[in-house]
Amino acid sequence: MKPAARHRVRTGLRVVERFFAIVGVCALIYHLFFDFGVMVSSSMSPALQGDNALTGDRVIFEKWTGLFRAPQRWEIHQFHTPEGLTVAKRVIGLPGERVSLRKGLLCINGSPVAVPERLKHLRYLPSGNLSKDREVECGTGYYVLGDDSRDSWDSRYEGVLAADRFTGRAWLILGPRSHWGFVR
């Protein structure tokens, strides 16, 4: 083989080698710090929308903040149900708190909680363990609710979640294009 042809082959192999190295590093970063999900239920509507895998929001969940801090109230987190389903719900109650619904108001430790302006539209229904003005102790876990509480299988029925059940915080909606942006 001529030296010029040998040089082209070596250069081509280096390009291929670097390409696969970059792909490998990107795959490692994705695996360690991110997860991808598709909303197949309207339980988190309007924040995250979808009724099936074809039309649901495509959401990136980030895992890195879970390494440095606990989930915060009003954030949407992903977790697995005992049946193995991956779902996303909004964190309402934190460890050591008591959650209740009184006259349509969400209460923490018996007092109405201040809801961020962007979430003033949310109305939680008193059902499951929050019916009849009952109060739920979070203990060492977290109380989560779906934004559309008419269609949400959440802590009202499953109870509080241990911190180690969370797998990521909803971070970015990739599609459809009309919903693109950071999760609020």
Side-chain angles (χ1 to χ4, degrees):
M1 188 182 286
K2 294 183 180 178
R6 191 176 308 139
H7 177 71
R8 282 192 300 269
V9 169
R10 283 186 184 163
T11 301
L13 289 174
R14 281 191 201 112
V15 168
V16 170
E17 176 186 50
R18 288 181 181 135
F19 171 77
F20 282 115
I22 290 170
V23 168
V25 168
C26 290
L28 181 65
I29 288 170
Y30 172 79
H31 178 72
L32 291 175
F33 298 110
F34 298 98
D35 195 9
F36 178 79
V38 178
M39 293 306 298
V40 296
S41 162
S42 62
S43 68
M44 284 305 299
S45 186
L48 301 175
Q49 300 176 26
D51 291 321
N52 60 57
L54 296 175
T55 62
D57 284 352
R58 275 91 174 119
V59 182
I60 294 286
F61 294 88
E62 57 85 8
K63 302 177 190 177
W64 71 81
T65 57
L67 302 173
F68 305 107
R69 67 170 178 81
Q72 305 294 305
R73 188 180 336 275
W74 309 120
E75 290 179 340
I76 298 173
H77 280 265
Q78 178 185 49
F79 60 93
H80 300 291
T81 66
E83 297 80 27
L85 297 173
T86 303
V87 297
K89 302 293 178 199
R90 194 173 296 280
V91 174
I92 301 299
L94 305 174
E97 295 180 337
R98 296 180 324 276
V99 177
S100 62
L101 280 174
R102 304 242 164 88
K103 297 179 183 171
L105 296 175
L106 183 65
C107 296
I108 302 294
N109 298 330
S111 300
V113 65
V115 178
E117 192 62 38
R118 72 182 194 285
L119 301 175
K120 293 282 186 186
H121 65 279
L122 297 179
R123 299 289 179 255
Y124 295 114
L125 299 176
S127 58
N129 60 18
L130 288 183
S131 64
K132 301 178 183 171
D133 292 334
R134 286 189 279 187
E135 201 169 57
V136 178
E137 294 272 346
C138 290
T140 59
Y142 294 84
Y143 199 89
V144 297
L145 291 172
D147 285 358
D148 183 359
S149 67
R150 296 170 300 159
D151 181 33
S152 183
W153 194 259
D154 47 35
S155 287
R156 293 172 301 164
Y157 306 101
E158 293 286 328
V160 296
L161 295 177
D164 62 358
R165 298 238 343 247
F166 291 117
T167 58
R169 178 178 63 97
W171 181 54
L172 183 66
I173 300 171
L174 295 178
R177 184 174 289 193
S178 61
H179 298 164
W180 193 90
F182 290 103
V183 176
R184 299 177 51 100

